[in-house]
Amino acid sequence: MTKATAIHKPLTVKTTPIIHYEVAMSVPESHLFEVTLQVTNWQAAVLDLKMPVWTPGSYLVREYAKQIQDFRAQTSDEKKILFSRKLSKNHWQIETESVAEIKVKYRVFANDLTVRTNHLDATHGYFNGAALFFFIPGWEQESITVRIVPPKSDWLVSTALPEIKDKVNSFWAEDFDTLVDSPFEIGTHQVYDFEVLGKPHQLAIWGKGNANPTKIIADTRKIIEAEAKIYGGLPYESYLFLLHLSGSGFGGLEHKNSTSLNYPRFGFRAKDKYDRFMQLVAHEFFHLWNVKRIRPKALEKFDYEGENYTTSLWFCEGTTSYYDLLIPLRAKVYDPDGFLEALSKDLTKYLTTPGRKVQPLSESSFDAWIKLYRRDANSDNSQISYYLKGQMVSLLLDLLIRKRHQNQRSLDDVMKIMWQRFGKDEVGFTPEELLEVLESVAETDLSSFSDRYIDGLDELPFDEYLQPFGLKIKQIEDSEPVPYFGAKVVTKNGKDTIEFVENNSPAAIAGIDADDELLAIARMRVTADRLNERLKDYQAGDKISVTVFHQDELKTYQVKLGKPQPSSYQVVRIKSPSKEQVDLYSGWLKK
């Protein structure tokens, strides 16, 4: 017998690359971040680098690569330039044959102060990972280190990423998703430490204004406690609130262990404005569960190169919007009257948006990428925000569940189950699974509800759902009724411009168009701020001549005015509510 000879093939070991970034800003007034990417242990013949085109939480392709300039690849000792080419809008490829250590330098223009972009000036530097860093395809799960090089010794660095021991201003990200999810604030901002439920928190404030950190922290602590109560604790070890005080900005972007907030610098003294800020805090903090961990299947794994479509953004954002009104109530930032006032404002926005009759809620979610953040003169006619209608649908679902179970169950129970089933392990949910959870809590078939109000265009039956709680919707009209014209006029660049014309309104039927410049009514000059006063001189059914510039051509239209329309809506208590109505109301808003 011949003995077989074993053949031993050499093992191919896949060496893991080491990825390190350095972010400098030597001339912050230039608005240019100077980024260096160092890749070591590289074995392939080419190195592909791709820049994300969007960032999670803001569903619009923003083309972050457009701000990159001065891209250069070289060996780590900087003695040899490596040939690189651009293969697409966000894709660079570098030839790396026999090169194990690569250094890539580029600069990023940063002069857009929003929560989803980058901003650098003489006072601070702020950036989002998606808008500053490349990822290496196939290696997104590898850890990444980041070193910040401030331009001045007194500039601080605030981020949710853990700092690397014994390395100043150096931080570690578990993977690229974590890096994207951890914005940086660098500068002379004020940092305030506080503790909630045994865990450390920080509030970092950049900018001047009338914000009161002591009051903000006290109310934020109560909001954190109220939200943690729903889910049974806090799913992080520490948390960072980044607050930018700007001239007129507004917005927030959620992250797993931090949030970025942008608010008008003098928007904290008036009660209604302060309450709005605390609603923003409640909204973004609620997201650390709902959407950052409890997220649709389409967002279970992020595709940073294109749209990630889902019909469930109404639950991610709309349900969160419902809770951002409810949580400050539970935290006693305001009382039930304050809650109903805030709800009435949002209800007014909803009921005065004609697009609610055109675009279903699920379609609004799906089309976020091309509609919500890309508004035009026809947007209010053709679409409805999934934030806004999602909030209203969530309100109805909460009331439905509460009524069926005498406040012993609520939308809170839906959130708890979604957390246990999907959030803890970050397993994406489908629309069918979401409906299943809603039905299990409500203990009723919600297919008709879903067909009519999520996938369909039926008007939401507010009074039907509010009545068991002793509430109803009241239409508010001006003391002096204004005949219906159907156009919104604003003053822009010294001109009174028609910004929006409602479909089938008297203005639309007459032929008046958005972007027309309003000049006169009945041959007498009229301005945006005086339009309603002029219209009060007429009655419904009257015909008036309206003169405009239409594409620089002088035109006069005959407009037949319609019946006055409600200017706003309020949720009010009904007279003489029954004991059952009082009990349901108290269990919802006074517990």
Side-chain angles (χ1 to χ4, degrees), residues 452-485:
R452 296 172 67 189
Y453 308 130
I454 297 175
D455 296 324
L457 293 171
D458 286 17
E459 283 281 28
L460 300 184
F462 291 108
D463 280 335
E464 175 188 338
Y465 282 72
L466 289 167
Q467 190 274 339
F469 294 79
L471 299 168
K472 67 177 182 179
I473 294 177
K474 180 181 178 181
Q475 296 183 3
I476 307 298
E477 297 181 357
D478 293 333
S479 56
E480 291 184 77
V482 180
Y484 180 40
F485 179 52

Side-chain angles (χ1 to χ4, degrees), residues 545-563:
S545 64
V546 179
T547 303
V548 303
F549 271 130
H550 177 74
Q551 297 180 2
D552 293 336
E553 182 179 355
L554 188 66
K555 288 193 172 185
T556 298
Y557 298 95
Q558 297 301 312
V559 179
K560 184 178 180 180
L561 297 174
K563 294 180 180 179

